[in-house]
Amino acid sequence: MINRRIAYEAKRKLEFAPDFGEPVSLLTELADSLSMEYCNHPETYKNDKDRVIWLEYPYFCFDCDTFFEEYGVLLASIEKDIHVKVYGMADKLELGELAAEFTDEKNIRYRKRNSSGSDFESIRSLCIEIEAKSTEQYEALWELFSHMDYRQDYAAVNRKKWKAMGEDWTEKDPDTYFAYLQLREEQGEFFLNILTLEQKKELWTVYLEEGVSPVEFEYLNDAIGRDWEINIFEWNLALQMAVSQAGISVLYEKDDFRILDRQGRRIWMDYRSSAAAEKLFLKLLFPAVPRTN
């Protein structure tokens, strides 16, 4: 732990005691607002041992007074429940820290800290440091910020990890495999487009290894039928990766095909199946009936 000197301190009295809501929601608002100003995603890092998450905006320069004016109340409100600080390079090689906290319901104290104790006007390569109060909160926050995109309406997170934190949040559908947390009003973009390749692979793996067809495949099949814009190549690639991991073999024969598990036993599938994942599996691997000679 590095104890820095106080370089600047100021107090601000609010006319009314603010009531912003849940700290996690406020933290999301802070990160989302900075991403919009920066027009890019933050780089995300973590330290499992100390339960710390960093959101870095490389080369993003911010005037300290402006930051306190725009985000000071928000920062202090988050600090009530989640320990959060803002860092950046203050001058040459010296790290500067910005912090805000309520001293009572209407009064906020702003502080700047660094090693020298000399005041600084701005910071660059701004970074938000989040110190979670529990392992459950840490894992849920990492899920959120490592999958959040300021251009998207939803963030897809691990449902079990998110629920373990006990945070209430508006979701797209409570029955999907992943929890799709709504970040803003839906603008019409197909929500499954936010999934990473690894998340898509995980959905296929659930089907291939556990025999469960996640609800996402029902949405995906419906979207394909409506000709919505979807990266089908990525879903196909994710399927190939999952097939390889599961040890499944797909054999194309003269006028037929066979699907075998890792023990060489045949897996029977049918286009008429009620399982959406099974239908899509067959559509992607066998989009047309093989030609016979």
Side-chain angles (χ1 to χ4, degrees):
M1 181 178 180
I2 301 175
N3 291 317
R4 297 181 176 86
R5 299 176 181 177
I6 297 175
Y8 168 86
E9 182 174 302
K11 295 182 179 180
R12 177 182 176 185
K13 186 171 184 178
L14 305 178
E15 188 174 351
F16 303 101
D19 182 19
F20 284 108
E22 294 295 326
V24 175
S25 178
L26 301 181
L27 190 55
T28 304
E29 181 183 339
L30 174 62
D32 204 41
S33 298
L34 290 172
S35 292
M36 288 182 179
E37 284 204 44
Y38 183 55
C39 295
N40 210 339
H41 312 294
E43 299 291 337
T44 53
Y45 310 101
K46 63 175 180 172
N47 181 334
D48 293 338
K49 179 177 178 293
D50 297 326
R51 297 197 300 258
V52 173
I53 296 170
W54 294 278
L55 310 178
E56 183 203 1
Y57 299 84
Y59 310 110
F60 187 23
C61 187
F62 226 115
D63 177 81
C64 296
D65 290 340
T66 301
F67 185 88
F68 281 136
E69 182 65 30
E70 293 184 10
Y71 300 108
V73 178
L74 193 58
L75 197 64
S77 299
I78 297 167
E79 178 68 23
K80 287 183 174 182
D81 188 66
I82 302 173
H83 195 42
V84 59
K85 296 177 182 177
V86 174
Y87 289 97
M89 301 311 298
D91 180 36
K92 295 183 179 178
L93 301 178
E94 188 172 36
L95 197 68
E97 172 193 320
L98 307 181
E101 62 180 350
F102 278 98
T103 55
D104 57 41
E105 287 188 348
K106 296 183 182 179
N107 288 283
I108 300 176
R109 178 170 58 208
Y110 297 143
R111 279 180 173 169
K112 302 180 194 175
R113 291 188 179 92
N114 56 15
S115 300
S116 65
S118 300
D119 194 10
F120 51 94
E121 295 182 355
S122 63
I123 56 175
R124 66 185 185 279
S125 290
L126 185 146
C127 180
I128 303 174
E129 180 184 270
I130 306 161
E131 186 178 338
K133 63 182 181 180
S134 67
T135 299
E136 291 77 16
Q137 186 183 68
Y138 169 71
E139 291 182 347
L141 290 177
W142 176 251
E143 273 293 305
L144 174 60
F145 290 114
S146 60
H147 293 106
M148 200 169 105
D149 185 331
Y150 74 99
R151 299 165 301 180
Q152 302 291 349
D153 303 331
Y154 295 91
V157 302
N158 181 293
R159 182 175 294 282
K160 290 181 180 179
K161 291 182 179 179
W162 183 257
K163 292 299 182 184
M165 185 176 65
E167 188 77 14
D168 189 24
W169 202 294
T170 301
E171 292 185 42
K172 175 69 176 180
D173 185 334
D175 296 323
T176 50
Y177 178 78
F178 291 108
Y180 298 85
L181 310 179
Q182 188 165 3
L183 304 175
R184 58 186 61 82
E185 285 295 317
E186 193 169 340
Q187 301 299 314
E189 176 79 11
F190 182 45
F191 76 100
L192 291 185
N193 286 344
I194 68 175
L195 292 172
T196 64
L197 180 64
E198 282 299 317
Q199 287 175 318
K200 292 171 183 174
K201 175 191 168 186
E202 187 172 344
L203 290 174
W204 281 120
T205 300
V206 169
Y207 168 63
L208 294 174
E209 297 188 2
E210 300 178 22
V212 177
S213 178
V215 173
E216 279 87 340
F217 288 110
E218 295 179 20
Y219 282 103
L220 185 56
N221 272 324
D222 181 67
I224 291 172
R226 296 172 184 268
D227 290 326
W228 288 359
E229 187 174 345
I230 303 165
N231 188 344
I232 293 296
F233 170 78
E234 204 165 88
W235 282 99
N236 203 317
L237 179 58
L239 173 57
Q240 293 180 54
M241 293 167 65
V243 163
S244 176
Q245 178 178 298
I248 291 174
S249 301
V250 178
L251 306 177
Y252 293 88
E253 300 178 338
K254 184 177 180 180
D255 56 356
D256 197 5
F257 59 83
R258 285 190 298 159
I259 306 169
L260 308 177
D261 65 15
R262 65 173 72 249
Q263 283 79 37
R265 295 172 301 197
R266 186 164 187 174
I267 301 173
W268 296 94
M269 292 190 181
D270 193 328
Y271 284 100
R272 295 167 296 182
S273 171
S274 60
E278 184 172 335
K279 291 179 181 177
L280 190 58
F281 178 98
L282 293 172
K283 287 178 183 177
L284 292 181
L285 291 186
F286 314 103
V289 177
R291 293 188 303 172
T292 59
N293 295 325

